[in-house]
Amino acid sequence: MRLAFHVFDLPLRHAFTISRGTARVYRTLIVELQQDGISGYGEAGENRFYGASLENMQAALQEVRPKVEKATLDDPAALWEQLRPALQANTFAQCALDVAAWDLFGKLRNEPVWKLWGLRIDGPLPPTDYTIGIDTIDIMVRKMNEFPDWPIYKIKLGTPHDLEIVRQLRRHTSAVFRVDANGAWDAETAIRLSAPLKDLGVEFIEQPLPPDRWDDMKEVKRRSALPVIADESCQVESDVERCRDRFHGVNVKLVKCGGLTPAKRMIEHARRLGMKTMVGCMTESSVGISAIAQLLPLLDYADMDGALLLAKDIASGVRIERGRVLFPNENGCGVRLLAP
């Protein structure tokens, strides 16, 4: 195989604010794996919260380049395990390489990844939400109106006026709401807001408390009027079991756990435990979003709107129309890089 990197700036349609800060441009790393003249692509963007930078991702991948380029891709999961000791400290780099391997593997075998896994996409699949970042009410409403008739909106919260935000947005749509505090609340706030949020048509609360508040999350789960879903609290495979008594479900993100290989195992583990399953995205291009789509038949909830937040995409792959995920007639993860 041949390993190559591509770095892109991803300007956003709008400034995107969550409880931890605001962004207008995201920098992302695209990993390309090539074998027999065919290329597979994976992605991981910079993220200060998780300590991921373009520099440390590329440094981690340069370290494993000799092993990667000596290998023939016979099994992406086996390659992931082989490289785990060197990459487990940088799951973002690990993810980009693993997704590229699965995309390439499917293309070499002339099958989509979901089909190689024995899954089907001809039955009911969960729609994806569209995320509305924190802003003034007028701007948040305008963002919703740019994607009208969406079945589900995810509302970012973490302000002193969270309940009023949801009340005001509810006046403009009958769609299902999900709310995501990104760890900005304490237990009392989460419990107090849960009942009125439920009355406003909210489906669940994502990551209400900081990820280190494990004891408090037991109380929130017990007393919340709404289901609670782990995001920052569920990063790697061992976290699924820990979340069992504290959350009703887990939001698995490929960059947090290290790619499609561990993400699929985490989802299957959560399903065995009777937990709800979700896969979420960062702000990323259709390279990352198309990888997430391969897991869709295993999920209860999907948050795959990252590429919709961009002013311009750098790849083609799955498309999303009013929440519905449409798969391309392509193999692997269905990705083609558009930019040079």
Side-chain angles (χ1 to χ4, degrees):
M1 288 186 289
R2 183 179 68 85
L3 175 64
F5 308 139
H6 309 276
V7 173
F8 295 98
D9 287 340
L10 302 178
L12 305 185
R13 294 167 61 92
H14 303 284
F16 186 73
T17 300
I18 65 173
S19 61
R20 292 194 295 267
T22 299
R24 291 172 176 81
V25 177
Y26 281 87
R27 296 203 302 166
T28 198
L29 177 69
I30 302 297
V31 169
E32 179 181 2
L33 276 181
Q34 188 179 91
Q35 181 176 307
D36 302 333
I38 298 173
S39 290
Y41 300 98
E43 179 176 15
E46 286 192 313
N47 190 298
R48 283 184 296 176
F49 183 78
Y50 292 105
S53 69
L54 294 179
E55 291 74 22
N56 65 35
M57 285 189 280
Q58 290 182 85
L61 292 168
Q62 289 287 13
E63 190 174 322
V64 300
R65 179 188 289 276
K67 289 183 179 179
V68 172
E69 295 193 335
K70 286 179 182 177
T72 298
L73 187 60
D74 297 317
D75 179 0
L79 180 66
W80 190 91
E81 291 293 347
Q82 179 189 352
L83 301 177
R84 180 199 284 208
L87 291 179
Q88 61 186 352
N90 192 322
T91 61
F92 280 59
Q94 190 179 35
C95 168
L97 183 62
D98 183 65
V99 169
W102 278 108
D103 186 36
L104 175 59
F105 186 68
K107 289 171 177 174
L108 290 170
R109 278 152 182 76
N110 297 312
E111 297 280 9
V113 172
W114 57 264
K115 193 170 184 179
L116 291 171
W117 287 341
L119 303 177
R120 301 181 62 172
I121 61 170
D122 54 353
L125 297 174
T128 179
D129 54 39
Y130 180 72
T131 304
I132 308 297
I134 297 170
D135 216 311
T136 65
I137 295 295
D138 287 347
I139 292 177
M140 293 176 84
V141 170
R142 193 185 316 156
K143 290 176 180 178
M144 285 200 310
N145 289 338
E146 288 181 0
F147 289 83
D149 303 320
W150 216 260
I152 308 164
Y153 295 102
K154 182 160 89 166
I155 314 301
K156 292 289 189 176
L157 299 178
T159 78
H161 316 291
D162 285 342
L163 193 57
E164 184 60 23
I165 288 173
V166 179
R167 283 194 180 120
Q168 291 297 322
L169 296 183
R170 175 51 72 205
R171 297 172 55 195
H172 298 271
T173 180
S174 59
V176 172
F177 282 168
R178 297 166 180 170
V179 299
D180 183 2
N182 286 111
W185 295 346
D186 57 23
E188 187 277 329
T189 300
I191 294 165
R192 174 173 53 83
L193 293 182
S194 64
L197 287 173
K198 182 178 181 180
D199 291 341
L200 288 166
V202 171
E203 184 178 25
F204 60 72
I205 301 169
E206 187 175 342
Q207 195 65 42
L209 310 189
D212 60 348
R213 304 304 294 269
W214 292 101
D215 290 341
D216 287 348
M217 272 310 307
K218 283 188 175 182
E219 185 71 2
V220 171
K221 183 186 178 187
R222 186 177 70 84
R223 295 177 56 195
S224 174
L226 285 169
V228 285
I229 307 296
D231 181 355
E232 287 88 344
S233 292
C234 188
Q235 297 188 31
V236 296
E237 293 183 67
S238 59
D239 290 331
V240 175
E241 187 72 39
R242 196 176 187 188
C243 287
R244 179 182 191 177
D245 296 328
R246 297 166 173 89
F247 296 90
H248 298 90
V250 292
N251 179 2
V252 176
K253 290 185 177 174
L254 304 191
V255 289
K256 292 190 305 182
C257 68
L260 283 167
T261 295
K264 183 170 179 285
R265 293 196 295 247
M266 291 173 73
I267 292 163
E268 291 169 343
H269 187 190
R271 286 162 64 95
R272 288 193 297 270
L273 295 176
M275 302 178 75
K276 293 294 186 180
T277 57
M278 178 179 181
V279 167
C281 63
M282 303 298 192
T283 303
E284 53 198 88
S285 77
S286 285
V287 176
I289 300 304
S290 298
I292 292 171
Q294 308 309 304
L295 297 161
L296 207 57
L298 297 173
L299 305 181
D300 296 297
Y301 312 122
D303 176 29
M304 297 170 48
D305 64 341
L308 299 176
L309 302 174
L310 304 181
K312 183 180 180 182
D313 207 343
I314 60 169
S316 64
V318 301
R319 293 184 298 110
I320 299 172
E321 294 183 359
R322 295 186 179 181
R324 183 183 174 205
V325 179
L326 303 175
F327 288 77
N329 187 25
E330 300 274 356
N331 296 316
C333 296
V335 170
R336 292 189 179 187
L337 206 61
L338 301 177

